[in-house]
Amino acid sequence: EFEDIPFNGSFNSMLNYSRSPENFKVYRFPDLVPYKVTVNGSPAKSYGNWDRYFNGKYQRLTVYNHYNGFYGGDRSELILKTDRPEKKTLLMFSNSYSDAIKLLLLQHYDAIYAIDPRFYELEMGKKFNAKKYIQKHEIDDVLILGDVSFFERTFGLSGY
């Protein structure tokens, strides 16, 4: 628990509201398997800014989205890969709701391919083709995780 950080998610930040009664809390996973990160097709040093936060080096603004800051923000394609080819691969369609569990899930997979369809075409310069992506990356499992508005916008579902 970061006692000096109020939990201000994206909606609080958009409204410029900074009086959250809750502190920002995360779970620090012990003994994670080593992994490599690719963001939108380019290698990255890490997934999020965990080390900075745990070392006390984070934004001190009253209104700041620390969830986004800690986990590194929304990306159209995030690939987390271990070197355990005997394990399965996971394709995850999600918004930021999945940020807190990606590394936990990675402990059970060789690779996680996390796609946020809200940004894919804009950031990757092409429409997402699930069939081709699944074939190209030899995906074993698929997980779809989000809130109602995510499903409505992403998959055109309405009439709830």
Side-chain angles (χ1 to χ4, degrees), residues 53-110:
Y53 271 76
F54 291 134
N55 289 319
K57 297 176 183 174
Y58 45 82
Q59 185 59 253
R60 305 290 184 186
L61 293 174
T62 305
V63 177
Y64 182 76
N65 184 343
H66 286 282
Y67 186 86
N68 212 15
F70 184 84
Y71 292 109
D74 296 328
R75 301 290 183 245
S76 61
E77 180 190 59
L78 172 70
I79 300 172
L80 304 171
K81 289 189 100 171
T82 70
D83 189 20
R84 302 175 302 160
E86 72 281 1
K87 299 272 188 186
K88 290 181 172 185
T89 57
L90 174 68
L91 173 59
M92 177 185 289
F93 294 102
S94 64
N95 55 14
S96 63
Y97 280 26
S98 67
D99 291 348
I101 64 167
K102 285 176 184 147
L103 290 182
L104 179 61
L105 289 171
L106 186 62
Q107 305 313 294
H108 305 280
Y109 287 94
D110 178 41

